[in-house]
């Protein structure tokens, strides 16, 4: 039997940072808040009872990947059962999938800024209504690398836009609002330190560039439309590399901006599926890509177990000679 299965997760934490807060005075005037895309609500569900013990939120694009991560964490935390019948809390909607394992919430966000933005609005309100305290939120995903080995895990130090600026532009009514994309530096450094426990893949700190498009917006030559040359593409990507960019994805700037405004400690940890300086199409075999996608999950598992005080206990168990 795994002794960690008997531990109470709540005992490891105190509300150092207070509850998750929202920056919307209109919410106080509402009799009920319906989290439509999550199939949850303040009157239909007891959100503090369901989610009040959440300390870690992990988000990623694919519903299947986030279910697999939840099942992985179920095993890593030594919880009862095999985790195969884990319940999708958002089963009443086809937009997102959400799974809870102990103090960990695993939720999909789809692809691109608009999709993750909708999910984050409702997720942050959910954490607020549930009176969650001291929450860390991490995006785990895939990306295209720049000048680094495929399979490398990039911990984002700064999320930048397509002009390599650390900002997110949000159109609100008819105004362009610019928001900072600063992430928690201490959290990034902590994750980098814990990556030493994952010796089978390289991990590094680097800038992550967020785009609004997978094809032209990322300088690909293989989309249905393309208005630039191979030389122009390489010139742009090399400028991005020289600016500190080590990977490219489609969610990090809005993720960083929204989490920062709501006081959430946030990090972005993505594996690279290819080196964009060498090509545009992902050609690695399926089994290789599956293993790549597990790499950020392994690092975050180490992080969560260390935060919960389970890592050293598990290492002692593993070293016991029967």
């Amino acid at each position: 039997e795994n002794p960690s299965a008997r531990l109470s997760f709540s005992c490891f934490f105190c509300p150092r940072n207070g509850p998750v807060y929202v920056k919307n005075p209109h919410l106080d005037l509402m009799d009920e808040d319906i989290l439509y895309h999550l199939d949850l609500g303040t009157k239909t569900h007891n959100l503090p009872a369901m989610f009040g013990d959440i300390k870690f939120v992990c988000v990623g694009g694919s519903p299947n990947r986030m279910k697999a991560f939840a099942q992985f964490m179920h095993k890593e935390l030594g919880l009862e059962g095999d985790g195969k019948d884990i319940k999708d809390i958002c089963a009443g909607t086809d937009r997102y999938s959400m799974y809870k394992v102990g103090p960990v919430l695993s939720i999909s966000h789809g692809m691109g800024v608009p999709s993750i933005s909708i999910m984050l609005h409702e997720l942050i309100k959910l954490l607020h209504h549930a009176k969650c305290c001291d929450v860390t939120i991490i995006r785990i995903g895939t990306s295209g690398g720049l000048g680094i080995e495929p399979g490398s895990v990039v911990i984002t130090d700064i999320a930048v836009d397509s002009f390599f600026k650390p900002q997110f532009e949000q159109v609100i009514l008819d105004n362009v609002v610019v928001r900072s994309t600063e992430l928690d530096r201490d959290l990034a450094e902590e994750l980098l330190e814990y990556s030493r426990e994952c010796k089978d893949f390289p991990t590094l700190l680097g800038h992550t560039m967020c785009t609004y498009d997978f094809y032209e917006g990322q300088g690909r030559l293989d989309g249905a439309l393309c208005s630039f040359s191979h030389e122009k593409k390489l010139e742009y990507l090399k400028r991005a590399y020289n600016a500190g960019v080590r990977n490219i994805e489609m969610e990090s700037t809005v993720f960083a901006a929204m989490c920062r405004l709501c006081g959430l400690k946030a990090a972005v940890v993505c594996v690279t599926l290819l080196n964009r300086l060498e090509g545009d199409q992902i050609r690695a075999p399926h089994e290789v890509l599956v293993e790549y996608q597990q790499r950020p999950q392994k690092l975050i598992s180490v992080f969560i177990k260390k935060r919960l005080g389970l890592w050293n206990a598990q290492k002692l168990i593993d070293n016991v000679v029967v």
Side-chain angles (χ1 to χ4, degrees):
E1 181 183 2
N2 186 346
S4 65
R6 301 192 296 268
L7 295 173
S8 171
F9 294 113
S10 61
C11 69
F12 293 104
F13 285 89
C14 60
R16 295 194 306 261
N17 298 330
V20 176
Y21 62 87
V22 293
K23 300 188 71 174
N24 181 359
H26 301 290
L27 292 179
D28 294 334
L29 306 176
M30 295 168 54
D31 181 54
E32 178 182 10
D33 191 3
I34 299 171
L35 309 178
Y36 172 73
H37 300 90
L38 302 183
D39 194 35
L40 295 168
T42 54
K43 280 194 172 181
T44 55
H45 299 78
N46 187 340
L47 299 180
M50 293 174 66
F51 301 101
D53 63 337
I54 291 295
K55 300 299 178 185
F56 308 96
V57 178
C58 296
V59 306
S62 164
N64 289 337
R65 191 188 312 143
M66 299 318 293
K67 181 178 182 179
F69 174 70
Q71 292 172 329
F72 174 61
M73 287 308 306
H74 187 280
K75 179 181 178 182
E76 290 292 290
L77 295 177
L79 301 178
E80 294 181 0
D82 58 13
K84 291 183 179 179
D85 57 349
I86 191 168
K87 178 184 177 183
D88 180 3
I89 300 170
C90 299
T93 175
D94 59 359
R95 296 297 182 185
Y96 306 106
S97 294
M98 178 192 293
Y99 304 91
K100 183 180 183 298
V101 284
V104 181
L105 195 66
S106 176
I107 179 169
S108 67
H109 59 61
M111 183 180 291
V113 165
S115 184
I116 192 175
S117 172
I118 294 168
M119 187 279 290
L120 284 173
H121 274 282
E122 298 186 15
L123 170 65
I124 292 169
K125 290 197 297 176
L126 168 63
L127 298 173
H128 171 73
H129 292 314
K131 300 179 173 26
C132 295
C133 297
D134 194 26
V135 176
T136 299
I137 181 168
I138 302 173
R139 167 169 144 67
I140 52 177
T142 59
S143 61
L146 272 188
I148 58 177
E149 176 186 350
S152 299
V153 172
V154 179
I155 301 168
T156 305
D157 57 2
I158 300 174
V160 300
D161 63 14
S162 296
F163 300 97
F164 322 138
K165 295 180 180 179
Q167 64 183 36
F168 172 68
E169 292 189 353
Q170 173 76 56
V171 178
I172 302 176
L173 304 183
D174 57 352
N175 296 312
V176 177
V177 177
V178 179
R179 292 171 169 167
S180 169
T181 56
E182 180 181 354
L183 289 160
D184 191 290
R185 181 75 187 191
D186 291 339
L187 177 57
E189 294 285 355
E190 184 178 0
L191 288 166
L192 183 63
E193 177 184 349
Y194 294 161
S195 72
R196 297 170 186 166
E197 304 288 350
C198 305
K199 303 182 187 302
D200 52 342
F201 55 85
T203 304
L204 65 146
L205 278 175
H207 296 2
T208 296
M209 182 168 72
C210 177
T211 68
Y212 288 88
D213 171 53
F214 184 82
Y215 285 97
E216 287 184 297
Q218 294 188 10
R220 278 185 163 84
L221 302 172
D222 60 340
L225 302 172
C226 186
S227 57
F228 47 85
S229 66
H230 180 264
E231 290 74 23
K232 283 288 186 181
K233 164 204 162 177
L234 285 180
E235 185 270 336
Y236 174 73
L237 293 181
K238 287 177 180 177
R239 279 196 290 119
Y241 180 88
N242 291 334
V245 174
R246 293 298 176 268
N247 65 329
I248 308 171
E249 45 86 274
M250 298 175 62
E251 293 88 16
S252 59
T253 51
V254 68
F255 174 81
M258 290 185 66
C259 291
R260 181 176 183 273
L261 284 171
C262 292
L264 285 165
K265 292 183 178 180
V268 178
V269 182
C270 291
V271 69
T272 58
L273 303 183
L274 76 167
N275 181 358
R276 286 297 317 288
L277 295 175
E278 296 179 353
D280 294 334
Q281 297 201 330
I282 300 169
R283 300 183 181 277
H286 174 73
E287 60 272 16
V288 172
L289 296 177
V290 170
E291 193 277 323
Y292 281 176
Q293 292 173 24
Q294 293 170 347
R295 294 181 176 186
Q297 299 181 19
K298 292 178 181 178
L299 173 55
I300 300 311
S301 169
V302 173
F303 165 76
I304 290 174
K305 288 192 291 183
K306 280 182 176 284
R307 280 286 187 94
L308 291 174
L310 300 177
W311 180 257
N312 290 332
Q314 185 60 54
K315 292 189 76 173
L316 286 173
I317 293 168
D318 294 341
N319 290 333
V320 170
V321 177
V322 179

